[in-house]
Amino acid sequence: MALIEIPNVYDSDMAVSTARRGRFAVIGEPVVAVDLINTVAPPGTPAADDLLSSDRGAEAWWRIEAARVPDGDLPDIQALRRLRSALRNMIEALVEGRPVPQAAVSELNFFMQSAPASTRLRLTGTGLHAETHWHCEYGGNPKLAFIATQAAESLSDPSQVSRLRRCANPACSMIFMAVNPRRSWCAPGVCGNRARVARHHRRAGGF
Ligand SMILES: [Zn+2]
């Protein structure tokens, strides 16, 4: 897990102060789907808080995730946001103990079926090598299908679901997988520090 700043990913016609601010994203959760849902702030916040509100933002995110997803063309940004919306609805429901919306399940199935995978075995000089081959016959994108498939495997495992947590900072919308059960913050260096500073100010009578 790491908190990274993705600077100046916004459209150049936006206010300079906004463009310079950059966008923080929590990267490196065990499944790419959790990184994906954390590219957007809660509903009602400015579009600038959505990393995927521009092609440049999406490209920056794909560069960071490149080693974790299959090779191939970058998918359409609308399709990426559609997958994110389904994953966000699904994971929010799981975190809050609500029933998962059927529409989100159908969406995830759609993305998985659009580019199914098969395993290919080939002989090497020393033995056998197995590799995953993604099929694009139906026009699907392997990167999206991979993120959906990896999420489905993880979110159908109760031991993995029990690790999903919302950041302990009430002003933060990030969700993470607490591999370490003591983890409370999306990023200790940001939300953890803010909480410590607030506690210090309360004790010191600063508020
Ligand atoms: Zn946080």
Side-chain angles (χ1 to χ4, degrees):
M1 185 279 300
L3 190 80
I4 56 130
E5 185 173 9
I6 302 171
N8 299 327
V9 295
Y10 304 114
D11 296 333
S12 55
D13 59 353
M14 291 184 70
V16 172
S17 60
T18 305
R20 278 189 182 153
R21 192 183 60 194
R23 167 71 166 90
F24 286 98
V26 175
I27 295 293
E29 293 300 316
V31 290
V32 178
V34 178
D35 283 4
L36 177 58
I37 66 169
N38 285 329
T39 56
V40 68
T45 49
D49 284 338
D50 180 354
L51 182 61
L52 305 185
S53 62
S54 72
D55 287 338
R56 291 177 66 194
E59 284 160 17
W61 187 77
W62 282 119
R63 270 198 300 280
I64 293 162
E65 301 285 352
R68 307 177 71 195
V69 294
D71 289 338
D73 295 338
L74 291 188
D76 177 70
I77 194 169
Q78 296 302 330
L80 178 60
R81 293 174 73 174
R82 183 176 154 189
L83 173 60
R84 180 182 66 181
S85 175
L87 288 167
R88 183 102 211 174
N89 289 342
M90 185 175 284
I91 292 173
E92 293 259 2
L94 290 168
V95 168
E96 293 167 11
R98 289 185 282 110
V100 174
Q102 177 60 47
V105 175
S106 301
E107 281 281 87
L108 216 63
N109 284 334
F110 165 80
F111 280 103
M112 285 191 281
Q113 290 160 3
S114 67
S118 60
T119 305
R120 274 184 183 170
L121 205 57
R122 69 181 165 81
L123 280 167
T124 67
T126 54
L128 295 166
H129 176 74
E131 58 191 16
T132 302
H133 177 72
W134 293 87
H135 302 266
C136 302
E137 293 90 276
Y138 308 109
N141 180 280
K143 293 182 196 295
L144 298 180
F146 168 82
I147 293 172
T149 303
Q150 188 193 43
E153 288 167 358
S154 180
L155 299 178
S156 58
D157 177 348
S159 69
Q160 297 291 313
V161 172
S162 68
R163 291 175 167 169
L164 286 169
R165 243 176 243 178
R166 196 182 297 279
C167 178
N169 175 2
C172 179
S173 65
M174 300 286 185
I175 288 174
F176 57 85
M177 293 188 92
V179 175
N180 176 348
R182 291 168 56 88
R183 182 178 171 194
S184 304
W185 314 102
C186 65
V190 179
C191 286
N193 276 357
R194 279 187 196 136
R196 272 191 289 277
V197 169
R199 270 200 307 272
H200 172 80
H201 276 264
R202 274 197 299 274
R203 273 201 302 270
F207 286 159

